Amino acid sequence: MAKNDSGDREKSSFIICFGEMLIDFVPTVSGASLAEAPAFKKAAGGAPANVAVGIARLGGSSAFVGKVGDDEFGHMLSNILKSNNVDNSGVRFDTGARTALAFVTLRADGEREFMFYRNPSADMLLKESELDLHLIKKGSIFHYGSISLIEEPCRSTHLAALKFAKKEGLILSYDPNLRLPLWPSADAAREGIKSIWEYADVIKVSEEEISFLTGGEDPYSDEVVYNKLFHANLKLLVVTEGQMGCRYYTKKFHGRVAGFRVKAVDTTGAGDSFVSGLLIHLASNPDLYKDEKKLKEALVFANACGAITVTERGAIPSLPTKEAVIDFIPKGNEQPHLCLIS
């Protein structure tokens, strides 16, 4: 809920999302460069915030922890969290920096490229002293990305929050969400993303991120995933594969879940929607990774979340409700295919 009433929730279902929230400016037409786009649609974005809203829209309980500017965009974003039933009590406002902006170039196939305005932006300036540890402690899952690792003081704040959540027994969920233009270099991105790799209980990556993190090795190789990315404490690693759906890996089994055929308009937020669909199942069943049948059912649901999201422009505006996902998934024995997530 948006009210500061998280103490009334059961720890077993409350998901904390940490990181950045920003404004995406999405072109009104696909296939045009930023300079050629005739107009842009304003949309709330930022991967961890997308996940928080996605969880709430699916009927789950979530909170967002992060920082925005003490400006119109920042207050708009905080209000969007509230209006979507996300606990926004962990949001802080910076009077000295603006809310981050991202202009998104949409290719004709719905894939996108980003140009960011954050020099610095408020999300980079979250301090450890501004963390609401009481809020984090009430969660069962702590979800985060890697963008908050790029600059201080947010990097140290991220590490403090992560370690606190781990100590309190929360499941740690990590989606690196690689955005190379934000990092000083490719090597810095690789090192930064890997620096917290072994804390995570659950990791979601794309095939492009596997290639990047492994120095160009085959992202479709099970051996590469197990030898280069799986670590001793990891419970579940999921690889999203764009049109082909996703793969899953645990210590005891691995496999693939196909996706759904849709016409992609904008892939922004699709991976975050996928994560929301997975985490809402994990929150209700922390041992999900031990039961392959139930895990596959959760991943079908997550695939459907991602597929629905690509059919509209913008991330948060296109995140589905639980009812929309259930209606979207074919009934009976019909198997889905071609899920457009990244």
Side-chain angles (χ1 to χ4, degrees):
M1 303 294 295
K3 298 176 183 177
N4 300 345
D5 60 354
S6 56
D8 297 333
R9 296 189 189 85
E10 291 186 12
K11 183 180 178 70
S12 62
S13 63
F14 192 32
I15 302 170
I16 312 293
C17 299
F18 175 94
E20 71 280 359
M21 190 173 193
L22 48 85
I23 302 290
D24 286 331
F25 286 94
V26 184
T28 55
V29 298
S30 299
S33 68
L34 291 177
E36 295 169 339
F40 293 87
K41 177 184 176 182
K42 178 183 63 181
N50 293 343
V51 173
V53 174
I55 289 163
R57 202 163 286 172
L58 291 170
S61 295
S62 63
F64 175 75
V65 176
K67 201 172 196 181
V68 293
D70 190 11
D71 51 37
E72 286 199 34
F73 282 148
H75 288 279
M76 182 195 86
L77 291 174
S78 181
N79 288 334
I80 285 173
L81 292 174
K82 184 176 181 179
S83 66
N84 280 279
N85 294 321
V86 175
D87 187 322
N88 64 354
S89 63
V91 175
R92 301 293 178 260
F93 298 90
D94 196 290
T95 57
R98 297 296 190 189
T99 302
L101 309 178
F103 285 82
V104 185
T105 303
L106 290 181
R107 301 200 311 248
D109 62 359
E111 287 294 337
R112 74 275 192 220
E113 297 173 353
F114 295 87
M115 183 167 71
F116 295 93
Y117 287 78
R118 54 197 305 267
N119 293 305
S121 54
D123 60 286
M124 303 160 67
L125 302 177
L126 183 66
K127 301 173 184 175
E128 185 177 347
S129 61
E130 295 175 308
L131 287 174
D132 186 343
L133 297 180
H134 181 69
L135 176 67
I136 295 173
K137 187 175 182 178
K138 293 184 181 300
S140 63
I141 297 175
F142 185 75
H143 175 74
Y144 50 90
S146 69
I147 290 174
S148 46
L149 296 171
I150 298 174
E151 297 282 353
E152 293 290 358
C154 192
R155 174 179 164 78
S156 293
T157 306
H158 183 152
L159 291 171
L162 180 154
K163 291 175 181 178
F164 177 80
K166 190 79 168 178
K167 179 173 70 74
E168 293 296 326
L170 280 72
I171 296 170
L172 300 191
S173 166
Y174 186 21
D175 177 1
N177 194 38
L178 176 66
R179 295 288 180 265
L180 262 181
L182 294 177
W183 292 86
S185 67
D187 287 341
R190 196 174 290 111
E191 181 180 348
I193 289 171
K194 287 183 173 179
S195 69
I196 60 170
W197 197 260
E198 297 199 1
Y199 285 99
D201 299 296
V202 177
I203 295 175
K204 174 261 177 193
V205 290
S206 67
E207 72 269 41
E208 294 89 353
E209 287 165 341
I210 293 177
S211 295
F212 176 77
L213 293 170
T214 61
E217 296 204 33
D218 182 4
Y220 304 102
S221 166
D222 296 335
E223 184 177 353
V224 167
V225 171
Y226 274 120
N227 292 341
K228 297 297 180 72
L229 299 178
F230 213 88
H231 62 77
N233 299 318
L234 191 60
K235 295 177 173 66
L236 172 66
L237 187 145
V238 178
V239 182
T240 54
E241 292 187 337
Q243 296 184 6
M244 299 308 294
C246 65
R247 308 192 320 260
Y248 57 88
Y249 298 85
T250 72
K251 287 186 175 75
K252 295 187 175 180
F253 54 77
H254 63 89
R256 178 187 298 275
V257 175
F260 299 85
R261 185 185 296 278
V262 294
K263 178 174 174 54
V265 174
D266 177 10
T267 60
T268 307
D272 306 324
S273 186
F274 175 94
V275 171
S276 300
L278 175 59
L279 292 186
I280 200 168
H281 281 81
L282 187 64
S284 62
N285 180 11
D287 290 331
L288 181 68
Y289 66 96
K290 296 179 180 179
D291 185 327
E292 188 169 13
K293 181 177 182 292
K294 289 183 179 178
L295 176 60
K296 290 176 78 169
E297 290 171 355
L299 291 173
V300 168
F301 185 90
N303 277 348
C305 291
I308 293 169
T309 300
V310 307
T311 62
E312 296 183 31
R313 297 183 192 277
I316 286 177
S318 60
L319 296 170
T321 63
K322 181 179 179 179
E323 292 73 23
V325 177
I326 291 172
D327 288 344
F328 178 83
I329 297 173
K331 304 300 186 288
N333 297 321
E334 192 174 349
Q335 293 298 311
H337 60 291
L338 289 182
C339 180
L340 298 167
I341 55 176
S342 61

